[in-house]
Amino acid sequence: MQDIHITGGAMTRFGRHPGVLAPELAQQAILKALADAGVGVGDVQAIYCANVLGGMILGQLVVRDLGFRGIPVYNVENACASGATAVHLARHALMAGQYDTVLVFGIEQLTALGGGTIPLQRNDHKTELYARAGMVLPAVYAMRGTRFLHERDAQPADLAAVAVKNRHHGSLNEYAQQRSETTIDEVLASRMIADPLTLLQCCPSQVDGAAAVVLSTRTDRVATRPVKLLSSVVVSGLRERADDDILDAEITARAAAQAYEQAGVAPSDVDVVELHDAFTIAELLYYEALQLAPRGDAVALLKSGATRLGGRVPVNPSGGLLAKGHPLGATGVAQMVEVMWHLQGRAGTRQVAGARIGLTQCTGGGIAGVDHAASSVHLLGV
């Protein structure tokens, strides 16, 4: 099987972009990614557009005026895992030899929604019933947080420390929406959203952004320091049972195990991680699901400083969703751009020194009866 490389990538600043339409935002990321890869529109054989709430045929609308000449455009929606899923599907096409160079981009304009929680699935009566009862995503993660504090003998300050770390990282990232640092006291004193999660422990819901990568099997289109896509896994959630443990993050643990096996690397080989910290509790649960820490040791890992910049395995050096923001369709692609920059030594003041293996993880979808609708894990290496 030919190696698949990320030959270029780019993203826009995540935040509010008043007066800029979603297609314009996506085009900014696309053109920068093509330039970064050193390819033109004529070199791209297929396009994958990840988006959740932008409507039909958004991919074709985005690329209409960029000079692509009738190549296939695939629109991919898989909730928050849409961007990662688009990369996964593009990888399959490259592995099959259907194409040798493709473009993957993600775009979301959440400011157009006017605020509030992200809408859940509306064509399922069970999920609608859950939502009417208050089981929106902040409430679901709050229950996990409450259970975590009880079972792990942890304190609310342990949850808040995740936000402090990621806001510090975000302060170093010119692409992040939130660039101010914070303290544990400020996090705990911010407005309560769903006990024990306060406002600063939830990712911003008012954010726009786009990200793009070029994937290729052609050796003449590989960057000076090539980044290989070592593994790509997307799985769906299993039906929940009455005795399921809400702290297991089973869907992510299952995806991670497959990704490590596929890449032939161990969790201890990973140098940098971008994971789906939509809420502070999520990052702690994913430490364990990704085997960065044994079960029960997530707080100890955080307190040790291992997941901060300068630590053994920095997690969310971009600031993560908590600081960078979470424009749904763009998130999974942006995670890969961030890790690519670290592996190539291009991450500036937030650079993870000597990074050779990176991991990205993104879950997606609130649906009644399963842990999550989807989870993806990718491993990248140089």
Side-chain angles (χ1 to χ4, degrees):
M1 186 181 69
Q2 290 179 291
D3 289 334
I4 296 171
H5 294 94
I6 302 177
T7 61
M11 69 177 82
T12 67
R13 180 182 60 80
F14 282 14
R16 294 174 181 267
H17 292 267
V20 179
L21 297 177
E24 299 174 66
L25 206 57
Q27 289 165 5
Q28 293 175 25
I30 289 169
L31 294 175
K32 289 179 180 177
L34 293 175
D36 191 49
V39 300
V41 295
D43 299 312
V44 176
Q45 297 168 317
I47 296 170
Y48 295 77
C49 167
N51 178 261
V52 180
L53 300 167
M56 293 190 299
I57 58 169
L58 181 62
Q60 287 88 337
L61 183 62
V62 167
V63 303
R64 174 188 59 193
D65 301 322
L66 295 183
F68 295 101
R69 299 183 61 82
I71 62 175
V73 176
Y74 303 99
N75 291 287
V76 180
E77 186 277 306
N78 209 13
C80 304
S82 295
T85 302
V87 171
H88 180 74
L89 294 175
R91 175 178 179 268
H92 275 294
L94 292 168
M95 288 171 62
Q98 188 171 5
Y99 313 117
D100 60 48
T101 302
V102 301
L103 169 71
V104 182
F105 71 92
I107 171 66
E108 208 72 54
Q109 195 169 41
L110 291 180
T111 57
L113 296 180
T117 60
I118 296 170
L120 297 178
Q121 180 60 264
R122 295 300 190 192
N123 55 4
D124 172 52
H125 71 280
K126 290 183 179 179
T127 302
E128 288 185 3
L129 180 62
Y130 275 41
R132 286 198 295 270
M135 289 289 286
V136 291
L137 287 175
V140 171
Y141 278 95
M143 289 197 305
R144 290 175 175 149
T146 299
R147 189 69 185 175
F148 185 89
L149 295 180
H150 171 71
E151 286 198 9
R152 307 298 170 80
D153 195 26
Q155 301 299 317
D158 296 324
L159 300 179
V162 175
V164 172
K165 172 182 73 71
N166 290 354
R167 286 286 288 264
H168 168 65
H169 291 173
S171 72
L172 305 174
N173 183 3
E174 64 271 29
Y175 294 92
Q177 181 182 35
Q178 304 291 338
R179 299 203 61 195
S180 59
E181 298 200 48
T182 191
T183 66
I184 287 178
D185 287 343
E186 288 171 339
V187 173
L188 294 176
S190 62
R191 177 165 56 90
M192 185 62 70
I193 299 300
D195 193 10
L197 300 178
T198 58
L199 180 66
L200 295 183
Q201 298 186 62
C202 307
C203 67
S205 63
Q206 288 286 286
V207 58
D208 308 327
V213 291
V214 177
L215 304 179
S216 183
T217 56
R218 288 184 54 169
T219 56
D220 61 335
R221 291 181 182 161
V222 174
T224 304
R225 192 177 189 194
V227 173
K228 291 182 182 179
L229 188 55
L230 300 177
S231 64
S232 174
V233 172
V234 174
V235 298
S236 297
L238 303 176
R239 287 192 65 88
E240 292 177 330
R241 303 176 308 179
D243 60 348
D244 282 349
D245 187 341
I246 62 174
L247 301 185
D248 267 351
E250 183 279 333
I251 186 173
T252 291
R254 180 159 39 96
Q258 293 179 28
Y260 288 132
E261 181 178 6
Q262 191 180 101
V265 303
S268 59
D269 296 326
V270 175
D271 300 308
V272 58
V273 175
E274 283 285 315
L275 59 73
H276 192 263
D277 60 323
F279 304 91
T280 52
I281 179 59
E283 179 162 325
L284 293 172
L285 296 181
Y286 294 145
Y287 286 172
E288 298 178 9
L290 297 173
Q291 301 177 49
L292 304 179
R295 182 177 175 84
D297 285 358
V299 170
L301 181 71
L302 177 67
K303 287 183 173 180
S304 75
T307 59
R308 288 179 67 91
L309 281 170
R312 177 176 60 81
V313 54
V315 174
N316 288 325
S318 69
L321 281 59
L322 288 169
K324 187 176 78 225
H326 183 25
L328 312 179
T331 290
V333 182
Q335 289 178 328
M336 294 187 190
V337 174
E338 177 73 16
V339 169
M340 178 194 76
W341 284 339
H342 284 279
L343 299 183
Q344 293 179 331
R346 295 199 287 160
T349 56
R350 64 187 186 280
Q351 177 66 46
V352 174
R356 297 191 58 81
I357 301 290
L359 180 149
T360 68
Q361 175 269 338
C362 205
T363 55
I367 182 172
V370 299
D371 175 10
H372 280 282
S375 186
S376 64
V377 174
H378 288 77
L379 284 158
L380 287 63
V382 292

